[in-house]
Amino acid sequence: MDTGVPLASVKSQIFEAVLGFLPVWVQISVLALIVLAVLASWVVKLRRRIAGRRATRAGQAVRTTAQDGQGTGADHLGPYAPPRQEETGADFLGSYAPSRQRGNGSA
């Protein structure tokens, strides 16, 4: 009894059609490379998960891809970031700034 519904998805049918034109040794090589890529991605994810858990247990910050001084996502503007202004003039008095003394009795 034919229901008219294909058992395989369109993607798998296209994949089989493309591989069907190749020699058997190439088919096996392609499939082995795909399996190797999947396994490698699992290993990388597992290592990152383990490193994250170790970092949280040790109380250390989790290492991210951004370098020190760089933001990530919306914080990182790259070359479009405005130039950093150094504190100069009246905004920055350095050693000449008045010291903050508490309880000196003056109003």
Side-chain angles (χ1 to χ4, degrees):
M1 180 170 146
D2 186 26
T3 60
V5 179
L7 297 177
S9 68
V10 175
K11 291 180 185 178
S12 64
Q13 289 178 350
I14 292 172
F15 184 72
E16 289 177 10
V18 169
L19 284 181
F21 291 108
L22 299 174
V24 175
W25 67 273
V26 176
Q27 292 178 9
I28 293 172
S29 300
V30 168
L31 291 175
L33 288 174
I34 291 172
V35 169
L36 184 65
V38 169
L39 291 176
S41 69
W42 286 351
V43 168
V44 168
K45 286 180 186 178
L46 184 63
R47 289 182 67 185
R48 286 183 184 167
R49 186 178 300 163
I50 290 171
R53 287 183 182 172
R54 285 183 182 167
T56 54
R57 285 183 184 164
Q60 299 172 351
V62 179
R63 186 175 173 188
T64 60
T65 57
Q67 297 176 357
D68 292 335
Q70 289 183 341
T72 56
D75 297 330
H76 180 65
L77 299 175
Y80 302 105
R84 292 187 179 178
Q85 297 177 355
E86 295 182 15
E87 297 180 30
T88 58
D91 296 333
F92 180 71
L93 299 176
S95 61
Y96 299 105
S99 60
R100 296 183 183 179
Q101 298 176 354
R102 295 184 183 172
N104 59 3
S106 63

